[in-house]
Amino acid sequence: MAAYLQWRRFVFFDRETVREPSGPDGAGAKPFALPPGITVCDSGRGSLVFGDILCGAGRCQIWFLPRSLQLSSFQAYKLRVTHLYQLKQHSILVSIGEDEEGINPLVKVWNLEKRDGGNPLCTRIFPAIPGNKPTVVSCLTVHENLNFMAIGFADGSVVLTKGDITRDRHSKTQILHEGSYPVTGLAFRQSGKTTHLFVVTTENIQSYMLSVKDYPHLELDSHGCGLRCSSLSDPSQDLQFIVAGNECVYLYQPDERGPCFAFEGQKLIVHWYRGYLIIVSKDRKTSPKSEFAGNEAQNSDKQVLNIYDLCNKFIAYSSIFDDIVDVLAEWGSLYVLTRDGKIHVLQEKDTQTKLEACKLMLFRKNLFEMAINLAKSHHLDSDGLSEIFRQYGDHLYNKGNHDGAIQQYIRTIGKLEPSYVIRKFLDAQRIHNLTAYLQMLHLQSLANADHTTLLLNCYTKLKDSSKLEQFIKTSENEVHFDVETAIKVLRQAGYYSHAVYLAEKHEHHEWYLKIQLEDIKNYQEALHYIGKLPFEQAESNMKRYGKILMHHVPNETTELLKILCTDYHPSGGNEGPGMLEGKKANSEEFIPVFANNSRELKAFLEHMTEVQADSPQGVYDTLLELRLQNWAHEQDEQTKEKLHNEALTLLKSGRFKTVFDKALVLCQMHNFKDGVLYLYEQGKLFQQIMHYHMQNEQYKKVIEVCELYGDQEACLWEQALGYFARKEENCKEYIAAVLKHIENKNLMPPLLVVQTLAHNSTATLSVIKDYLVNKLQKQSRQIEQDEQRIQKYREETMRIRLEIEELKASPKIFQKTKCSICTSALELPSVHFLCGHSFHQHCFESYSESDSECPTCMPENRKVMDMIRAQEQKRDLHDQFQHQLKCSNDGFSVVADYFGRGVFNKLTLITDLPSGKTATTIEAGLQRELLIHTKRST
């Protein structure tokens, strides 16, 4: 129960008297006056509605007062209007009045939107009393859905009309309640599809459920109230039924009694307006001072109008009036009707004005809770509320109530800069409060990396492992913070297990591995974790941490690398469904991981070459080098032989064609003779093979090399001869073998052979006697053949010259009797050529391609002419010659080829002698020109 005198008083309403509109002259308007005899009133649909009793004109009127203050009326009854109910959602007015003396009240339902002779249309008329028992109507209420209407009587009965209240045909009237005490108040309550009717008498309060058959009811209390002392609140108070007694005001739900408030004074009128409870009471004591009541005490017959805010427990307005008829709400204001015919309007102040006024007073008296509740009820924005919370927090902080202060500061999160609060609680003694604030800051996802660092430092300083675990294990949907910052702080504070958990949960793989390897030294777990990562991340982390892992867990690391480079699937299934085909890394990139682990490296490389034949070249190169090293350092003969065979097998695998030089260098570095010779042979380096045997003085091997590869590279025999010639040992057998082959292949001039063997002191003339004799004999035979050929060419030349002279000087006699084409006897007409061939004319025309050439001689002549023309065309091809000279490996051969074609010969044709020059002069000029050309060529 709240004490009335303890409630704070405010002036949230401005009071004015309604005045008539100003005249054209602008003179001050006089107060508006209501018609006399007003007995009942209501409001809604933009008008104040009044009902009066029989006036001097003999007509009982219902009056409408719109906002323009232009009164209008119509006659509703002949005697008096006792009750009015204006629906708020429909233009329907329900009235109860009397047309004649006696107790015979009539209910009339008016449709204000339809007219009948200028007046509202009366859609229904029926007697209020269902039977013949005379009784006075005490109260009236209508449901906004127009399906229920309840009328209370002074004899304690309640009549309920169910159905369309605007029509007789669609409604049913019945007695809902009967009692011994007058009914003083009725109210419908609609909650979802459930409808309740509150019935209050002078002695009790009951609730009827109208949405259930038989209308079950429940007595809520055993005391009641007077007329017009009950009302129904709005949803802000959960549609509670308000009953005002002389000592207390009670609130009721349909099934129970709610809170009560001790408001003193005899209650006359009770209304509910926009979250406020309006009570008009008759105070027999001296009324309290108010804004409008002067400094002197008021008389006891005055009426006090109080406006209460039940949620925030303060009085929003209080004032004294003379004989209030009723209080109406319309157009966003309250209108107080007094018996003298005046209307007073109470206009609520705007929210900002109210809040500023109350905050000044409440803050001075440190009533922050009331200020907060008031601000919330008036829907103050979040910025305004945050300022109140801040001031409240500052007040509590200055008083030393740090726990209470931090709670208020927490309510400012999102509006107040966090540093304002953090600076106040950096003291070690207030670390608990700071922790609470930072926790809430993270819960609202407003923390930055610095806040996360500070909160984790608070946890570690407090050594509150439970709170720390709760913080880091909270779902991402509940707490948002900078995970990387949290991991750094936890690692720095030594909470490695917490840091590892956070890194694993949020998939910060680098931090997880860094802590496991550098701080916890749990290499096995780190390796297992890498095996669960997706391919790309597993690959990058093995490159980064592979050397450390190889040093501590070499076997397990090697196995993981084998999987990673062949057919990798995460052990935890992190690749997701559908990844049936494994991925593989470049095995060559992981060779540096085995820097100090040659045994594991060999196992890794051999595995890769076995399961993946197309492994990178670096894998084979490294494996070859590793096998050669092992072979070179091995002391056991059997093992050495095995390693020798392994290295040679690898060389013969065909994987070193593109890196021939590298493989050769490796074999030479490790003095692997068989490998060197094999590579020489594969690279066709026959001279190097022979030089290798020469260096090792393996004479038979030198001869074998010459025999094997001499056909491909003839100079081998020459080099072999030079080699044996330089030897001071007795090498006659080998020299004879070489000379025999040189003789057969005619590889060297005899003079050069003699000069070569002259350097050998052990080689006598008998060594080369047979060679020289055979050579001289062959040359003699060759000379004889050449002389015979020369004589033949001379004779042929002489014969041709004679033929030419004969053709020039003597007539040619054609004695051919057969055609050279068809070999038939010649017949006229025929064709004869100087070459001696004759043809039938028709044969000649059929086979000849040219009229001036012999068909028989033409192919040979054409070959000769083509050769001549080709040489002439290529004589001036300077660009082509330069290009071939630059691109050729043997420039001398190119020059020799062009020289043979006559490109460098200067051709001079002498036809007619120039005038004034003799033959002697011309011959001298030719000799000079030839001399100059010869010098240039030299």
Side-chain angles (χ1 to χ4, degrees):
M1 181 178 292
Y4 163 74
L5 294 177
Q6 295 178 354
W7 285 28
R8 299 289 171 180
R9 293 174 178 268
F10 299 99
V11 183
F12 284 174
F13 289 82
D14 294 324
R15 174 178 172 178
E16 293 181 2
T17 302
V18 177
R19 297 181 178 275
E20 294 181 355
S22 302
D25 55 357
K30 61 181 180 179
F32 182 82
L34 289 172
I38 297 297
T39 58
V40 66
C41 55
D42 201 357
S43 63
R45 308 298 293 178
S47 296
L48 303 182
V49 186
F50 312 113
D52 60 10
I53 61 175
L54 182 64
C55 57
R59 293 178 179 271
C60 184
Q61 303 285 324
I62 292 180
W63 300 83
F64 294 95
L65 179 64
R67 198 164 192 176
S68 61
L69 302 182
Q70 300 295 325
L71 272 172
S72 61
S73 65
F74 69 94
Q75 183 180 4
Y77 297 92
K78 296 179 180 178
L79 189 60
R80 65 174 62 86
V81 181
T82 59
H83 295 82
L84 290 175
Y85 193 94
Q86 173 65 59
L87 277 79
K88 303 300 184 287
Q89 300 178 13
H90 303 276
S91 296
I92 299 296
L93 174 66
V94 179
S95 64
I96 299 179
E98 298 176 2
D99 285 336
E100 57 187 15
E101 293 292 342
I103 301 175
N104 189 21
L106 293 176
V107 179
K108 295 185 179 182
V109 181
W110 308 89
N111 189 333
L112 303 181
E113 293 181 347
K114 296 182 180 180
R115 315 302 290 181
D116 181 15
N119 296 329
L121 175 64
C122 181
T123 62
R124 184 180 181 187
I125 302 175
F126 63 94
I129 303 173
N132 296 324
K133 182 180 178 181
T135 181
V136 178
V137 176
S138 58
C139 52
L140 166 68
T141 186
V142 182
H143 199 291
E144 286 293 333
N145 63 11
L146 300 179
N147 286 327
F148 293 103
M149 179 171 61
I151 303 173
F153 296 91
D155 64 353
S157 60
V158 176
V159 174
L160 176 67
T161 301
K162 183 178 180 181
D164 189 353
I165 64 169
T166 62
R167 299 182 182 181
D168 291 325
R169 183 179 303 174
H170 300 288
S171 63
K172 178 182 179 181
T173 301
Q174 67 182 85
I175 297 176
L176 178 68
H177 171 78
E178 290 184 335
S180 304
Y181 305 103
V183 178
T184 57
L186 297 169
F188 287 108
R189 182 184 188 273
Q190 186 71 39
S191 177
K193 295 182 179 181
T194 304
T195 305
H196 288 88
L197 174 64
F198 290 101
V199 178
V200 58
T201 66
T202 56
E203 297 298 332
N204 57 33
I205 304 171
Q206 298 190 43
S207 169
Y208 286 84
M209 184 180 291
L210 304 183
S211 55
V212 179
K213 189 177 181 182
D214 298 334
Y215 308 138
H217 68 281
L218 176 66
E219 184 173 341
L220 301 176
D221 216 332
S222 59
H223 59 80
C225 65
L227 284 172
R228 302 200 296 174
C229 289
S230 62
S231 182
L232 189 70
S233 68
D234 59 18
S236 66
Q237 280 292 332
D238 199 19
L239 297 173
Q240 296 185 89
F241 187 54
I242 302 170
V243 177
N246 289 334
E247 299 298 332
C248 295
V249 173
Y250 300 92
L251 278 66
Y252 296 91
Q253 293 285 354
D255 54 355
E256 63 180 353
R257 192 178 82 174
C260 65
F261 301 89
F263 300 145
E264 297 180 356
Q266 181 182 354
K267 311 302 185 296
L268 302 177
I269 301 174
V270 173
H271 286 295
W272 186 268
Y273 168 73
R274 289 187 176 180
Y276 294 113
L277 175 63
I278 302 169
I279 296 180
V280 177
S281 61
K282 184 174 183 181
D283 195 353
R284 297 186 180 277
K285 300 179 181 180
T286 302
S287 299
K289 295 180 181 180
S290 71
E291 180 186 7
F292 306 100
N295 294 330
E296 298 180 359
Q298 303 297 318
N299 296 330
S300 60
D301 57 350
K302 297 290 185 178
Q303 296 176 353
V304 180
L305 184 144
N306 288 319
I307 302 177
Y308 299 96
D309 188 329
L310 299 184
C311 291
N312 300 311
K313 295 182 174 55
F314 65 82
I315 301 174
Y317 184 77
S318 180
S319 184
I320 298 175
F321 292 87
D322 293 327
D323 200 2
I324 297 175
V325 176
D326 207 344
V327 180
L328 304 177
E330 193 67 26
W331 309 308
S333 301
L334 290 173
Y335 292 88
V336 182
L337 281 61
T338 57
R339 194 64 62 186
D340 58 4
K342 294 181 179 180
I343 302 177
H344 304 273
V345 60
L346 299 180
Q347 180 68 43
E348 187 176 9
K349 297 179 180 180
D350 63 89
T351 301
Q352 193 62 34
T353 303
K354 290 190 294 183
L355 292 175
E356 290 297 330
C358 75
K359 279 197 296 184
L360 291 174
M361 183 186 76
L362 294 175
F363 288 178
R364 284 197 300 268
K365 297 182 179 181
N366 298 325
L367 299 175
F368 291 97
E369 288 292 347
M370 181 174 288
I372 292 170
N373 293 334
L374 180 63
K376 288 182 177 179
S377 64
H378 286 81
H379 308 291
L380 182 64
D381 59 18
S382 56
D383 292 333
L385 278 172
S386 177
E387 179 61 22
I388 299 176
F389 295 143
R390 184 194 65 78
Q391 295 186 32
Y392 192 15
D394 292 345
H395 168 71
L396 295 174
Y397 182 85
N398 294 330
K399 288 177 63 179
N401 184 2
H402 298 133
D403 293 340
I406 203 65
Q407 294 303 318
Q408 299 307 316
Y409 288 136
I410 286 174
R411 300 167 81 175
T412 66
I413 290 176
K415 299 296 180 183
L416 182 63
E417 177 62 35
S419 59
Y420 176 86
V421 180
I422 293 172
R423 282 195 299 267
K424 291 179 177 289
F425 293 91
L426 287 177
D427 194 331
Q429 297 178 352
R430 302 167 190 167
I431 193 171
H432 293 280
N433 304 123
L434 179 59
T435 303
Y437 180 80
L438 292 172
Q439 282 178 337
M440 191 57 63
L441 200 64
H442 283 80
L443 281 172
Q444 298 190 20
S445 303
L446 295 174
N448 56 29
D450 294 332
H451 299 148
T452 302
T453 303
L454 189 57
L455 177 58
L456 293 174
N457 283 328
C458 289
Y459 285 140
T460 55
K461 287 277 186 357
L462 293 172
K463 299 188 182 303
D464 193 347
S465 298
S466 60
K467 284 285 185 67
L468 181 59
E469 289 185 7
Q470 181 182 357
F471 176 75
I472 66 174
K473 293 183 179 180
T474 305
S475 171
E476 292 185 13
N477 297 328
E478 299 177 10
V479 175
H480 299 275
F481 54 85
D482 190 327
V483 176
E484 186 171 357
T485 301
I487 295 173
K488 290 180 181 177
V489 174
L490 292 170
R491 184 189 184 198
Q492 186 177 3
Y495 285 81
Y496 301 129
S497 61
H498 296 78
V500 164
Y501 170 82
L502 207 56
E504 182 176 10
K505 176 182 177 182
H506 296 276
E507 298 183 353
H508 284 254
H509 309 306
E510 294 182 8
W511 280 107
Y512 179 92
L513 295 172
K514 188 178 293 186
I515 296 171
Q516 288 281 20
L517 297 174
E518 298 178 7
D519 300 320
I520 305 177
K521 310 294 185 183
N522 192 343
Y523 305 103
Q524 192 71 43
E525 185 61 32
L527 189 64
H528 177 69
Y529 183 82
I530 292 176
K532 297 189 297 183
L533 297 179
F535 171 76
E536 291 77 8
Q537 296 172 359
E539 181 185 21
S540 63
N541 282 291
M542 282 305 295
K543 291 178 181 177
R544 181 174 301 175
Y545 302 109
K547 290 185 179 180
I548 300 175
L549 294 170
M550 183 62 67
H551 178 71
H552 293 90
V553 282
N555 295 332
E556 294 81 354
T557 305
T558 303
E559 291 302 318
L560 180 58
L561 285 175
K562 289 179 181 179
I563 298 173
L564 187 64
C565 296
T566 53
D567 185 20
Y568 180 76
H569 291 278
S571 58
N574 292 337
E575 293 283 0
M579 295 297 295
L580 300 178
E581 183 179 354
K583 297 182 179 180
K584 57 183 179 181
N586 186 350
S587 53
E588 184 178 2
E589 297 176 356
F590 293 97
I591 293 176
V593 172
F594 300 87
N596 299 315
N597 299 76
S598 59
R599 182 173 61 85
E600 287 75 13
L601 176 59
K602 182 181 178 183
F604 173 72
L605 295 176
E606 289 178 347
H607 173 79
M608 293 306 303
T609 55
E610 289 174 4
V611 302
Q612 190 174 321
D614 59 343
S615 295
Q617 185 61 43
V619 172
Y620 289 91
D621 296 345
T622 308
L623 181 58
L624 175 62
E625 183 178 3
L626 198 61
R627 287 183 175 179
L628 291 175
Q629 286 179 356
N630 295 338
W631 172 81
H633 294 90
E634 183 59 47
Q635 300 298 325
D636 184 70
E637 290 299 329
Q638 292 183 354
T639 307
K640 193 177 184 71
E641 181 65 23
K642 179 182 178 182
L643 294 174
H644 175 277
N645 295 333
E646 289 179 355
L648 193 59
T649 301
L650 183 61
L651 277 175
K652 294 181 179 180
S653 64
R655 295 293 307 183
F656 298 93
K657 295 180 179 179
T658 57
V659 289
F660 173 83
D661 294 339
K662 186 175 182 179
L664 183 60
V665 169
L666 289 174
C667 292
Q668 291 173 343
M669 286 174 57
H670 296 87
N671 196 23
F672 189 58
K673 298 179 180 180
D674 291 346
V676 171
L677 292 175
Y678 172 77
L679 291 174
Y680 282 161
E681 182 179 359
Q682 293 299 309
K684 296 184 179 181
L685 302 176
F686 307 128
Q687 295 187 33
Q688 280 78 356
I689 297 175
M690 189 171 69
H691 289 165
Y692 181 84
H693 293 308
M694 289 177 178
Q695 290 175 359
N696 292 278
E697 296 184 352
Q698 297 174 337
Y699 302 150
K700 291 184 178 180
K701 292 288 185 182
V702 171
I703 299 299
E704 289 178 2
V705 170
C706 292
E707 291 175 350
L708 288 174
Y709 311 117
D711 293 339
Q712 302 179 47
E713 197 164 346
C715 64
L716 293 177
W717 292 103
E718 299 176 13
Q719 294 178 10
L721 181 62
Y723 169 73
F724 290 123
R726 289 190 297 271
K727 289 294 180 180
E728 296 299 329
E729 302 174 9
N730 188 2
C731 299
K732 295 180 180 180
E733 177 184 355
Y734 304 111
I735 293 175
V738 173
L739 288 175
K740 182 179 181 181
H741 190 84
I742 290 175
E743 180 186 356
N744 293 335
K745 297 293 184 180
N746 194 24
L747 298 178
M748 294 178 63
L751 183 60
L752 183 59
V753 172
V754 174
Q755 290 176 348
T756 302
L757 293 177
H759 298 288
N760 191 327
S761 59
T762 61
T764 59
L765 184 61
S766 61
V767 175
I768 60 172
K769 176 182 178 182
D770 294 338
Y771 168 76
L772 292 176
V773 170
N774 293 334
K775 197 67 178 175
L776 289 174
Q777 291 177 353
K778 286 182 180 179
Q779 288 184 353
S780 297
R781 288 194 296 271
Q782 184 65 37
I783 290 171
E784 292 177 359
Q785 291 176 1
D786 292 341
E787 288 178 350
Q788 292 176 1
R789 190 177 294 111
I790 291 170
Q791 183 63 31
K792 179 181 177 181
Y793 288 160
R794 284 177 179 175
E795 293 175 357
E796 182 72 16
T797 303
M798 183 61 67
R799 183 182 61 80
I800 293 173
R801 284 178 179 176
L802 291 175
E803 287 183 2
I804 293 172
E805 290 296 328
E806 184 179 356
L807 290 173
K808 288 181 178 180
S810 304
K812 178 68 175 178
I813 300 174
F814 300 102
Q815 297 179 346
K816 286 280 186 177
T817 59
K818 292 184 179 180
C819 175
S820 297
I821 293 178
C822 64
T823 66
S824 300
L826 283 175
E827 296 178 357
L828 295 178
S830 60
V831 179
H832 304 275
F833 286 90
L834 293 176
C835 61
H837 295 107
S838 300
F839 308 92
H840 294 112
Q841 184 174 0
H842 61 84
C843 290
F844 175 76
E845 291 176 352
S846 301
Y847 290 95
S848 177
E849 296 180 3
S850 173
D851 294 340
S852 60
E853 291 188 46
C854 172
T856 304
C857 299
M858 185 175 62
E860 190 65 25
N861 294 338
R862 183 167 296 178
K863 289 181 181 179
V864 175
M865 295 304 296
D866 289 343
M867 294 173 61
I868 295 173
R869 278 194 295 270
Q871 290 181 355
E872 290 177 352
Q873 289 176 357
K874 293 181 179 179
R875 286 181 182 178
D876 298 327
L877 298 179
H878 176 73
D879 293 339
Q880 183 178 1
F881 168 71
Q882 292 292 338
H883 176 71
Q884 291 185 7
L885 189 62
K886 290 180 181 179
C887 297
S888 175
N889 294 327
D890 187 2
F892 183 80
S893 62
V894 175
V895 175
D897 178 61
Y898 275 82
F899 191 84
R901 296 176 188 175
V903 174
F904 303 108
N905 296 338
K906 183 174 181 181
L907 181 64
T908 304
L909 297 177
I910 300 176
T911 54
D912 296 333
L913 293 177
S915 59
K917 291 189 177 182
T918 63
T920 305
T921 306
I922 295 174
E923 183 178 357
L926 290 174
Q927 291 178 353
R928 184 174 62 254
E929 192 71 29
L930 179 61
L931 181 60
I932 293 173
H933 177 72
T934 304
K935 289 182 179 180
R936 288 178 180 174
S937 301
T938 304

